Each structure stands twice: as C-alpha cells, then as structure tokens.
C-alpha cells in the first residue's frame, strides 16, 4: 500500500463504453478529485473496439476505410505517443487520477509510483513483468506497441529474458487542472491483424508478434480473472473503496465526449468545440 492510501479513493470497475466517453470520464474524474476530494482508479474496456490516437499523431497515418469496414471507432487521447488499437476483449485498460500536489513532480518518479499496482497486478496473474531493462528501436513509429521501447514506462514480459522481453503494456500521463492522469493499455490477447490494419501501412503482422506479448500468451488465465487481479492490486495500492460514477459525472462526460473526444474537429485537428450556453 502506498502513502496515497491516506487520501480518499474509489475503485471503479467500469462498464464497457465507447472510446470518446472513456476519454471524457477521465477529465471529469480530474474535476472530482480537486473539487470533491475523491480520487479515482479504474479498470475498463472499449465497446466498440477503438483506435486511440496519440495527441500529436497525424490522422493520415490511419486507415480510415479499414476502421469503418471493421466497426472500429477512432478517438484521440490527451497523451502523446503512438496510436493503440483497443480491442473489446483483447485489451484491458486502467486509469489513475490524483491531484498533482500529492504525487512526485518528476515524471519518471511518478511513472514508477503509478505503475506499482500495474506490475503487482501482472505478478498476481503469474506474469513475469517489469519495466523494460533495455531500450529497443522503433519498428513503426505511429503505433504505440511498435514504437521504441523505453525502460522508464514500458512494461515487458517475461522480464527474466532481458532485452528479448516483449512489450505487454504501454502507459502515459498528462496533467489536467492540477491533476495527474495516467492511463494505460495491457494486452490480454493479441489481435495482430487489427493492431496493424488500423494504420495506413504495408507492415506485416509478424512484426507486431515479434514485439508484443499478452497475458493469455504468458499465463493463459481467463480475462475476468486478469481484470480482477488488476482491479484488486489498484484498490489495495491506494486503499480505494468500491465505487461508481455519479450520474452528474456521466452527464458531464457525455457532453465532453460530444464536444471533444467524439468530434472530427478533435480527432482530425485537435480542436475542441465550445460548450453551448443554456
């Protein structure tokens, strides 16, 4: 348990939601942390499956026809890095939201702190995971899982294989209204065709399989057990009580999803539509 357990936290085992709403609730949770003294950890999935673009990613790197043909939504994250294909069943995602004043100001130290429960959750599943022990060069820069591997925040498995370990989780942070928000994607299974197909590239799926591994490949446990192990580790790390979103939070998140994370203006050009006056 971390020192953060002295504060008020809730664990949300979130319902599957569309990508824009999943991004919007994080910003709403930032407001709740500051205004209501309630911090959030959560585990969640994406429905439908969604490609989340990095903040500065060029939309021309996306194969828009492939996404439409396969029913894959597209949104854009606040965090940088490459795009991530979040499969409805093959991806497990998490979020940690805490006031910036309560966590290390140094980015790498904050990553180390916030990844403690992620690594613990993977270990409880039986996965030999840790931060990467060595840098690895990029295979395809627009894809998060195929970018260069950085020991500061990329989690790999089996960790015991050193430089031969494969990426199993990508993590990123941003600050919103004096709150630190970290979110990450953990591969439960591999959907290599979609991970590569969502991008406008001739890259072969074999390149993805050589770089990325999954919980299922490593230990073979079922998805519900993996989600529970991660949620439990997150809750114990900060002493969180089981909780849910308030109806007012979901309402605010839906408005933000419409104006920002679900709009072409944001997805294509990083522009946010103004809120309507009532």
């Amino acid at each position: 348990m971390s020192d953060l357990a002295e504060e008020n936290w809730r664990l949300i085992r979130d319902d599957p939601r569309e990508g824009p709403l999943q991004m919007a609730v994080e910003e709403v949770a930032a407001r709740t942390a500051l205004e209501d003294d309630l911090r959030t950890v959560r585990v969640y999935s994406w429905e439908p499956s969604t490609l989340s673009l990095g903040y500065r990613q060029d939309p021309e790197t996306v194969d828009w026809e492939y996404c439409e043909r396969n029913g894959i939504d597209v949104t854009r994250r606040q965090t940088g890095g490459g795009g991530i294909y979040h499969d409805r069943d093959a991806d497990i995602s998490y979020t940690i939201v805490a006031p910036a004043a309560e966590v290390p100001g140094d980015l790498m130290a904050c990553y180390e702190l916030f990844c403690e429960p992620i690594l613990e959750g993977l270990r409880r599943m039986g996965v030999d995971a840790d931060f990467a022990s060595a840098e690895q060069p990029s295979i395809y820069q627009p894809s998060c899982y195929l970018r260069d591997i950085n020991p500061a925040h990329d989690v790999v498995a089996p960790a015991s294989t050193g430089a031969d370990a494969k990426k199993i989780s990508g993590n990123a942070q941003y600050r919103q209204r004096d709150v630190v928000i970290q979110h990450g994607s953990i591969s439960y299974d591999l959907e290599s065709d979609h991970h590569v197909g969502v991008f406008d590239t001739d890259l072969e799926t074999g390149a993805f399989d050589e770089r990325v591994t999954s919980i299922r490949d490593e230990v073979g446990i079922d998805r519900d057990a993996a989600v529970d192990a991660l949620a439990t580790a997150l809750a114990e790390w900060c002493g969180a009580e089981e909780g849910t979103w308030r109806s007012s939070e979901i309402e605010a998140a839906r408005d933000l999803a419409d104006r920002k994370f679900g709009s072409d203006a944001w997805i294509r050009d990083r522009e946010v539509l103004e809120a309507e006056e009532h």
Side-chain angles (χ1 to χ4, degrees):
M1 186 176 291
S2 70
D3 292 340
L4 294 174
E6 297 176 2
E7 310 298 341
N8 297 319
W9 290 82
R10 61 181 171 180
L11 165 69
I12 297 178
R13 300 173 187 260
D14 216 350
D15 296 330
R17 303 180 193 276
E18 59 271 26
L21 187 56
Q22 293 293 31
M23 294 295 89
V25 294
E26 295 185 344
E27 292 197 14
V28 173
R31 184 188 313 159
T32 299
L34 285 181
E35 297 178 358
D36 299 332
D37 190 37
L38 181 60
R39 299 139 196 83
T40 300
V41 290
R42 68 167 179 144
V43 291
Y44 64 101
S45 59
W46 309 66
E47 190 173 271
S49 299
T50 301
L51 168 64
S52 70
L53 304 180
Y55 180 72
R56 297 190 183 280
Q57 186 171 347
D58 188 340
E60 293 186 4
T61 61
V62 178
D63 188 332
W64 296 94
E65 291 184 3
Y66 181 93
C67 292
E68 183 175 358
R69 188 166 64 248
N70 289 277
I72 298 169
D73 274 3
V74 182
T75 187
R76 185 181 292 274
R77 306 187 307 272
Q78 285 278 23
T79 49
I84 306 177
Y85 167 68
H86 304 276
D87 189 81
R88 168 62 181 85
D89 299 308
D91 177 281
I92 299 173
S93 292
Y94 76 89
T95 307
I96 301 172
V97 182
E102 298 173 0
V103 302
D106 178 76
L107 179 63
M108 296 301 102
C110 197
Y111 268 126
E112 184 174 355
L113 175 63
F114 279 11
C115 282
E116 284 179 5
I118 310 310
L119 292 170
E120 176 61 23
L122 287 166
R123 291 172 188 140
R124 292 183 184 194
M125 299 173 206
V127 179
D128 173 26
D130 207 340
F131 289 115
S133 62
E135 292 185 6
Q136 295 186 39
S138 171
I139 294 175
Y140 179 66
Q141 197 71 7
S143 168
C144 171
Y145 277 98
L146 298 180
R147 289 167 70 92
D148 52 302
I149 289 181
N150 190 318
H153 51 76
D154 287 325
V155 175
V156 298
S160 56
T161 60
D164 293 327
K166 298 182 178 182
K167 187 167 179 175
I168 196 169
S169 176
N171 310 278
Q173 286 184 17
Y174 68 102
R175 294 185 180 232
Q176 182 79 20
R177 297 187 68 210
D178 298 321
V179 173
V180 175
I181 301 170
Q182 177 166 310
H183 54 202
S185 166
I186 303 170
S187 293
Y188 169 70
D189 202 356
L190 298 184
E191 289 289 347
S192 306
D193 289 345
H194 288 332
H195 271 281
V196 174
V198 294
F199 297 107
D200 186 13
T201 176
D202 295 328
L203 190 72
E204 298 292 331
T205 57
F208 185 85
D209 295 333
E210 290 175 0
R211 173 58 66 91
V212 185
T213 189
S214 69
I215 294 167
R216 189 170 183 179
D217 284 345
E218 295 298 318
V219 294
I221 67 173
D222 67 42
R223 190 179 189 281
D224 288 345
V227 170
D228 185 65
L230 179 63
T232 301
L234 281 163
E236 292 182 0
W237 171 73
C238 61
E241 300 287 339
E242 295 273 354
T244 59
W245 298 113
R246 303 164 181 168
S247 58
S248 59
E249 289 178 303
I250 294 298
E251 181 180 355
R254 291 195 185 283
D255 174 69
L256 184 59
D258 289 342
R259 292 190 294 106
K260 183 175 180 179
F261 294 104
S263 72
D264 277 349
W266 171 257
I267 297 167
R268 305 272 185 163
D269 301 310
R270 302 198 307 271
E271 295 177 357
V272 183
L273 304 177
E274 295 295 329
E276 293 183 4
E277 294 185 4
H278 297 284

